[in-house]
Amino acid sequence: MIIPDSLQGFPPGFAHYPLYFSSAEQAELIEVVKQGVAQAPFFQPVMPRTGAPLSVVMSNFGALGWVTDKDKGYRYEPRHPKTDQPWPELPAALGRLWDKLTDYPAQPEACLINWYKEDKASKMGMHVDNDENNLRAPVVSVSLGDPAMFRIGGPKRGGPTKGIKLYSGDVVVLADDARLCHHGVSKVWYGKSAVVPRGGRINLTMRRVNEVSTS
Ligand code: SIN
Ligand code: FE2
């Protein structure tokens, strides 16, 4: 396999699709996010134990949504923590994206909506996505709005990382080794894009939470 120069040093299974979505498609995705958060408003996630707020605000699409609070910590729930209503359905365009870019035999149950806001100078610390029962299925994520520096390291905390600047319309896939690598968003260049109506950056991250039953 030929690895493009730009991806040398990134873990196997990391893929970057620059400008996968056209401007018109990005605007459609924003419309879908607007409808989603009208039903399931952005909420402020907080860290387990300390109760310190994460710097993003978030919501979800899908049968399950990722939530976190002081008492129960990181987990998936079928209902919004504030409205107690089910999350809006996974938008069809995102389901199609998953089917195109993964060979996973089932759709993701969860799509996190992370909003990086200028007034909060939102970033995301290095972490591994490991709250799922299924750690083999890939993670597929879409960037909308202001550009951001995405960093990815290895399976252990610390150690060297590689950075890639993600622009509105870009898609990233974490599969194979990359699926269990530490990653985060070290910087957002706020005020550069008009794609997100209230500014900042929106990241949509699809995850398969449970194993697919074969019985
Ligand atoms: C995440 O790792 O959950 C978000 C990554 C991103 O915002 O690009
Ligand atoms: Fe993540």
Side-chain angles (χ1 to χ4, degrees):
M1 187 173 76
I2 298 169
I3 301 173
D5 282 352
S6 60
L7 293 183
Q8 290 289 348
F10 282 83
F14 175 87
H16 176 220
Y17 300 85
L19 258 177
Y20 184 94
F21 290 109
S22 68
S23 304
E25 290 167 332
Q26 292 171 42
E28 283 167 25
L29 284 172
I30 288 291
E31 207 40 55
V32 162
V33 169
K34 257 172 133 173
Q35 286 166 18
V37 298
Q39 185 184 331
F42 283 112
F43 62 92
Q44 177 64 68
V46 302
M47 309 254 247
R49 292 182 296 277
T50 62
L54 270 64
S55 84
V56 294
V57 292
M58 65 177 305
S59 186
N60 292 271
F61 291 114
L64 293 173
W66 189 86
V67 299
T68 166
D69 55 32
K70 195 163 184 269
D71 296 334
K72 293 201 206 151
Y74 306 138
R75 65 201 189 275
Y76 285 92
E77 293 282 0
R79 289 171 178 272
H80 189 289
K82 291 283 185 294
T83 67
D84 200 35
Q85 293 301 305
W87 305 102
E89 259 180 44
L90 181 76
L94 295 176
R96 284 195 299 271
L97 174 71
W98 175 273
D99 287 341
K100 274 209 180 117
L101 298 190
T102 77
D103 50 17
Y104 200 75
Q107 289 263 292
E109 298 103 316
C111 177
L112 285 65
I113 308 170
N114 286 312
W115 184 15
Y116 295 76
K117 296 183 72 186
E118 181 160 19
D119 60 352
K120 297 165 88 65
S122 305
K123 297 192 275 193
M124 191 169 293
M126 299 294 281
H127 65 277
V128 178
D129 298 346
N130 59 8
D131 300 315
E132 299 72 38
N133 301 320
N134 183 334
L135 297 174
R136 291 176 308 119
V139 167
V140 175
S141 99
V142 179
S143 294
L144 296 166
D146 288 333
M149 181 56 72
F150 179 87
R151 302 208 71 88
I152 185 160
K156 294 212 176 73
R157 180 168 279 288
T161 63
K162 294 284 286 182
I164 188 163
K165 195 168 175 180
L166 299 180
Y167 291 88
S168 195
D170 286 10
V171 176
V172 161
V173 178
L174 303 181
D176 305 328
D177 294 6
R179 174 67 181 80
L180 290 176
C181 287
H182 283 79
H183 59 274
V185 172
S186 58
K187 179 180 169 82
V188 178
W189 284 266
Y190 285 106
K192 296 280 190 241
S193 161
V195 168
V196 175
R198 286 190 281 162
R201 170 174 189 262
I202 285 180
N203 177 257
L204 306 171
T205 292
M206 284 183 277
R207 301 185 191 158
R208 178 76 206 172
V209 179
N210 294 307
E211 297 289 346
V212 178
S213 120
T214 46
S215 57

